[in-house]
Amino acid sequence: MKPLALALLLASTAASAQTPPDALLEDRALPGLTAGGEIVVDRWGISHIKAETPADAFFLQGYAAARDRLWQIDLWRKRGLGRLAASFGPAFLAQDKATRLLLFRGDMAAEWAAYAPDAKGWTEAFAAGINAYIGEIEAGRAALPEEFTATGSAPERWQAEDIVRIRSNALVSNVTSEVARARAMCAVGPALEPLRRELSPAHSIQIPKGLDPCDIPANVLTTLRLGTSGVSFTAGKIIEQDTPSAIAAFENPDVRDGSNNWVIAPSRTTTGRPILAGDPHRAHAVPSLRYVIHLEAPGLHIAGAGEPALPGVSFGHNEDIGWALTIFAIDQQDLVLNTPAGPDHYRRAGKRTAYRSVTETIDVKGGRSVPYTMRFTEDGPVIHTDGAGRSFSLRATWDEPGASPYFNASWFWQAKDWQGFRAGVRHWGAPPLNLVFASTKGDIGWTASGFVPERRLGDGLLPVPGISGAPWRGLRDPGKLPSVHNPAKGWFATANEMNLPADYDYKTNPLSFEWADTSRADRIKAVLGDQSRVSLTDAMALQADAVSPLARRGAALVARLPEGNPARTLLAGWDGHEHASSAEAALFELWIKGHLQDAAIQALVPEAARAAFGQPSVPGLFTAMENMSPALGKDPAATTVQILETSLKAAWAEAEALMGKDPATWRWGRLHKADFVPDLAIPGREDARRVGPLPMGGSASTPMAAGNRGDGLNVSHGASVRMVLDVGAWDNSLIINSPGQSGDADSPHYRDMFPRWVAGQMVPFRWTRAAVLEDAERIIRAKPAK
């Protein structure tokens, strides 16, 4: 179609009777656009883009993302590239240094070749769309977001390679766990490891030859944590860990970021079509971490959600298939200890090997520049050097071409069936995922995905010494990862649990021994297994389900206490439903927030070893108590009662201090609220930019993931996006993105989805052009600038 014909068609469409008479029309002439298109913004702020070419569709996606989220995506880019100091000053120099260590530094031709054939051009168009919106700001045709004014900064122009080189936002593991385990084993040996972290499948930890766990310093991961952290501002200074680190998500298994997804065959649904649901969990933010989008062009038609700084969608659907994701626990990292062989060398396989040095210049606000030299071994960046000259380097699959987080979803955008989907899965790098699949033909399936290292040393549970040679041989054949096509039971669900098939040879092809608590998965599978036919409403309700099998386990343990114990009286027979008005949930969550762990440490861990031992996990403690584990000492039954009584007494006292003496008045929602505040405080705008508070049920162990971190009880992580797809009747699909699509606090779409999200409700996610236009709030007609 010629540009003029397209323009006439769009004008005719916009003026049609299907378009609401109150829809606002805007015209834009945009440099970089090749033919033209339009953005229909619906009543929930979701952009539906139609263009003459796929490149123009991605261009308009970049333009729309910048229009809604420019501060967020600009900060994402500056953080990921190590360019914070250029905009915000020397307080951010240390983070820039740390982040630059983690950039992809390999061959860019190989990097682009790892993605779908047109991915480079699509990404270039996406970046050009962002730049076009920045150009409108510079020309005075669009307003500069208030955060830039507050920080005295300006948005920077994008290049396509900026997007794929950033690796430090990937949810990969398990280097933090390796260090925590080494420190704990140094302090108390292996006997208490089952309490600290359960391993599955059952496995005995192997200490690599030449490793002394006591050689691992407590601060070995300081640089890595800083390099994977978000950005927070307080008096112009960064606050480390104020926003969650991508690796910190894996440090404590009780608060580990996760996700839910499931797919149901036509034989088990009320629609007679597959139903596919997904709700990935991450740290909550204002605006949301994710952005909902719909793109249509000849040869390309996709809808779903992803991070707003990335082209396309990470999860969603095209015309033929849908997919959703959760984290699958492939161990993709190792900490490598390097023996010194002089100030600029380390010893490897009997040879004196020189570090590779890379020097860059870091721009700092105010006009000065700072030279910065990074060191690398053949394994990866050096992230720490101790006082004895030993260096520690990070071996990670994200250094491989094709490991840009989520970007291998580009292979799915034009897939048409299970075979095409599986072909795309072979390319998936990071993060490692459970991918569920459904097609309009009625097929459903599940597959694990992600780069798998072939280890030469160790089992991935402890750091490895590098003196004897490279710890990895390379990457394993992705065809060896497990998958299921059209399961006999008619559905498949995942929630980050250990879900290796019974016939999978994990000894020959190990993937990981560390998985999330099974609580969410157990509840989802129980509900789906009990339903003969599942509706879209049922799927939406399950995503908002607040029943915790972990809480049921805890209540059963509390029943072992003597009659008359107030905690036993309150929790006896509790069904684990953690609704906002539940007194039982309030006590249980206060108990497992720290009192249970503290009592276990006091009873079992020598005082001198407690700091190094860290925190036991709640599932690990429950398992030990249920099975009278030898890890509980010579008299497990007595130790169990001691821990329960001591910890519940402390939790009861805290509940009284927070909610009063009468447990009949206790409510989980009084303590547990959704209350989101942007990381950047702007004086005089605090209330306008705050979202909440609203009472909320659920917890980290319920399908409606609503967990918390640190000392607080408010909701800090969970599913900002929930999606339910009616596969083949796409207009019936549902979605929610809390608090809203826009990052502009004055936009009606800044917080409009928030109340529905708290209540477990969703909004329509339209697909056909007629349905999209029925919900149109604004139509932006775009043409190339002359």
Side-chain angles (χ1 to χ4, degrees), residues 497-521:
E497 81 283 14
M498 201 294 287
N499 61 345
L500 295 176
D503 60 354
Y504 180 78
D505 186 359
Y506 72 89
K507 293 183 179 179
T508 302
N509 298 302
L511 299 173
S512 177
F513 298 99
E514 299 177 306
W515 307 78
D517 168 45
T518 64
S519 187
R520 285 182 291 108

Side-chain angles (χ1 to χ4, degrees), residues 320-691:
D320 301 297
I321 71 167
W323 68 96
L325 54 86
T326 72
I327 293 295
F328 179 79
I330 298 174
D331 180 353
Q332 295 187 320
Q333 294 176 323
D334 275 329
L335 184 69
V336 183
L337 190 159
N338 303 298
T339 302
D344 300 315
H345 293 75
Y346 61 100
R347 194 161 297 283
R348 177 62 58 96
K351 297 181 180 180
R352 190 168 175 265
T353 305
Y355 290 103
R356 180 171 65 91
S357 295
V358 176
T359 299
E360 294 183 346
T361 298
I362 300 178
D363 297 328
V364 180
K365 188 175 184 179
R368 71 187 181 98
S369 299
V370 175
Y372 172 47
T373 299
M374 297 164 278
R375 295 199 304 172
F376 298 82
T377 69
E378 59 192 83
D379 301 310
V382 174
I383 59 173
H384 182 78
T385 302
D386 67 14
R390 292 175 297 194
S391 71
F392 297 82
S393 51
L394 177 67
R395 185 75 165 98
T397 57
W398 67 22
D399 288 330
E400 300 290 335
S404 181
Y406 299 105
F407 196 48
N408 268 308
S410 58
W411 291 99
F412 305 152
W413 300 338
Q414 295 171 315
K416 294 185 177 298
D417 50 28
W418 173 250
Q419 289 73 27
F421 179 74
R422 286 281 291 153
V425 167
R426 292 186 62 87
H427 298 276
W428 195 276
L433 296 179
N434 290 289
L435 289 162
V436 294
F437 158 94
S439 79
T440 56
K441 298 176 182 177
D443 278 2
I444 68 169
W446 160 81
T447 182
S449 63
F451 289 159
V452 183
E454 187 73 56
R455 286 183 167 83
R456 191 180 65 83
L457 297 173
D459 53 13
L461 293 173
L462 286 166
V464 292
I467 190 168
S468 63
W472 294 2
R473 295 188 179 93
L475 299 179
R476 197 176 300 156
D477 176 6
K480 294 182 179 179
L481 286 168
S483 65
V484 173
H485 186 211
N486 290 328
K489 63 185 177 183
W491 57 272
F492 201 96
T494 82
N496 318 112
E497 81 283 14
M498 201 294 287
N499 61 345
L500 295 176
D503 60 354
Y504 180 78
D505 186 359
Y506 72 89
K507 293 183 179 179
T508 302
N509 298 302
L511 299 173
S512 177
F513 298 99
E514 299 177 306
W515 307 78
D517 168 45
T518 64
S519 187
R520 285 182 291 108
D522 291 342
R523 175 60 180 172
I524 292 167
K525 292 173 182 179
V527 171
L528 292 178
D530 285 344
Q531 293 179 306
S532 59
R533 297 276 179 172
V534 178
S535 68
L536 295 171
T537 302
D538 293 332
M540 181 173 67
L542 183 52
Q543 289 182 332
D545 185 282
V547 173
S548 167
L550 186 70
R552 290 175 172 175
R553 293 175 65 189
L557 286 168
V558 174
R560 298 183 184 183
L561 294 177
E563 292 187 13
N565 182 287
R568 172 180 170 165
T569 301
L570 180 63
L571 296 177
W574 179 39
D575 63 0
H577 191 177
E578 297 194 284
H579 51 82
S581 59
S582 171
E584 297 92 338
L587 177 63
F588 175 77
E589 291 296 331
L590 286 172
W591 177 44
I592 68 167
K593 181 69 177 172
H595 297 296
L596 173 64
Q597 299 92 319
D598 290 346
I601 289 172
Q602 291 171 12
L604 299 169
V605 182
E607 185 173 358
R610 289 172 186 170
F613 180 77
Q615 283 270 317
S617 75
V618 172
L621 286 171
F622 281 3
T623 298
M625 293 176 178
E626 290 161 348
N627 298 325
M628 293 291 105
S629 167
L632 295 175
K634 295 180 180 179
D635 190 344
T639 302
T640 294
V641 171
Q642 175 192 344
I643 292 171
L644 292 174
E645 287 183 335
T646 301
S647 59
L648 284 163
K649 181 179 179 180
W652 192 275
E654 185 179 9
E656 289 184 334
L658 292 171
M659 294 177 288
K661 296 288 186 180
D662 184 2
T665 66
W666 294 354
R667 300 289 183 268
W668 177 219
R670 290 175 60 184
L671 307 177
H672 188 240
K673 298 181 176 68
D675 188 11
F676 305 146
V677 179
D679 288 325
L680 177 67
I682 299 178
R685 293 279 289 164
E686 293 86 353
D687 290 342
R689 288 159 51 78
R690 180 181 183 182
V691 180

Side-chain angles (χ1 to χ4, degrees), residues 654-738:
E654 185 179 9
E656 289 184 334
L658 292 171
M659 294 177 288
K661 296 288 186 180
D662 184 2
T665 66
W666 294 354
R667 300 289 183 268
W668 177 219
R670 290 175 60 184
L671 307 177
H672 188 240
K673 298 181 176 68
D675 188 11
F676 305 146
V677 179
D679 288 325
L680 177 67
I682 299 178
R685 293 279 289 164
E686 293 86 353
D687 290 342
R689 288 159 51 78
R690 180 181 183 182
V691 180
L694 286 178
M696 193 167 180
S699 70
S701 62
T702 64
M704 183 176 72
N708 44 63
R709 281 194 175 91
D711 296 330
L713 290 166
N714 279 348
V715 180
S716 65
H717 67 285
S720 58
V721 168
R722 302 183 190 121
M723 176 186 75
V724 176
L725 300 180
D726 187 349
V727 178
W730 303 114
D731 274 337
N732 299 332
S733 299
L734 301 163
I735 204 161
I736 197 79
N737 186 22
S738 178

